[in-house]
Amino acid sequence: MIRRAQPWLGTLVDISVEGTSSQDAVTAAFAEIARLHRLMSFHDGASDIARINRALPGDVVRVDAATWHVLRLAGEIADLSGGAFDIACAPWLVDRRMLPSPAPAQARPSARTSAAVFALEDEGDVRKRGAGWIDVGGIAKGYVVDAAVAVLEAAGVPGGCVNAGGDLRAFGTMQVPVAVRAPGAPGQAARHIMLCGAALATSGSYFSAREHRGGMVSALLDARDGHPLVS
């Protein structure tokens, strides 16, 4: 077995693969992770997301096909969740100091729906519709994990696991033991799961929750009204 880890996506990304002849495949998978990180980082001023956030209403921003695809998926999930998930929640996160301001020279816009902030046009083109900021942190890790797995499978790796801070996917014949943290006691496991040929992701506020303006906030919120989700 080969196991390597690198810091990407604001967490530690761990790749484990079966066999001992897959070093090049693991290196290629990390290269793809790094590429996607640079495209979709909220913090990197040169990323596609940062350029969309800086754009003015009416501007068209040309983005990578991967970014465009993630934005399309985010819109579908926003619809399916009735707006509970929406990547245009970034102004709330900036206000609560969960994210840095992406455009310090601009006044912080009000949080709006993503449909009010941008529209997807021809593949690769994003039109800014109204003032607003987006953050794909709630969906990009899963997309990047899938992309890394695709690189490994294309290289003929028989099985393995890509884990991006709790967003993980096991593929092939590898069985991966997973301990799910107890929300009220994150140092303990609430459940143990054996994962094989499947993906799993969990979210919790136990590490990001803190006091802000007399109340508790976290990196999790209901995008319909900005209500913080604190366990």
Side-chain angles (χ1 to χ4, degrees), residues 16-230:
S16 301
V17 297
E18 295 177 331
T20 58
S21 59
S22 303
Q23 290 281 7
D24 290 345
V26 173
T27 298
F30 272 121
E32 178 66 356
I33 291 168
R35 184 183 78 86
L36 296 174
H37 170 94
R38 287 189 289 268
L39 289 173
M40 291 181 252
S41 170
F42 187 87
H43 303 78
D44 186 343
S47 73
D48 287 345
I49 298 303
R51 293 190 299 112
I52 292 170
N53 286 335
R54 287 196 305 268
L56 299 176
D59 289 351
V60 175
V61 181
R62 185 73 177 174
V63 301
D64 187 89
T67 306
W68 194 93
H69 187 47
V70 167
L71 295 178
R72 182 179 64 80
L73 291 173
E76 293 176 359
I77 296 173
D79 290 341
L80 290 170
S81 68
F85 175 90
D86 196 306
I87 61 173
C89 67
W92 276 313
L93 296 173
V94 171
D95 178 62
R96 296 165 189 174
R97 298 182 181 178
M98 296 293 173
L99 290 173
S101 175
Q106 297 180 8
R108 179 175 56 84
S110 299
R112 311 170 70 185
T113 64
S114 54
V117 174
F118 70 90
L120 299 180
E121 299 193 341
D122 294 336
E123 185 160 345
D125 288 338
V126 180
R127 181 176 295 277
K128 194 71 172 284
R129 301 184 70 178
W133 295 335
I134 61 174
D135 169 44
V136 295
I139 186 174
K141 280 202 296 184
Y143 180 88
V144 172
V145 166
D146 284 345
V149 169
V151 170
L152 295 169
E153 290 182 323
V157 176
C161 178
V162 180
N163 182 359
D167 284 55
L168 68 156
R169 178 177 166 188
F171 67 96
T173 57
M174 178 176 280
Q175 295 191 26
V176 181
V178 179
V180 180
R181 296 181 189 272
Q188 302 175 16
R191 287 194 64 185
H192 289 86
I193 299 171
M194 190 63 71
L195 206 64
C196 183
L200 175 69
T202 60
S203 294
S205 61
Y206 31 76
F207 293 134
S208 66
R210 62 178 177 81
E211 189 174 355
H212 178 69
R213 295 175 184 165
M216 294 299 295
V217 297
S218 80
L220 302 179
L221 57 83
D222 187 330
R224 293 169 293 191
D225 57 12
H227 183 73
L229 306 177
V230 182

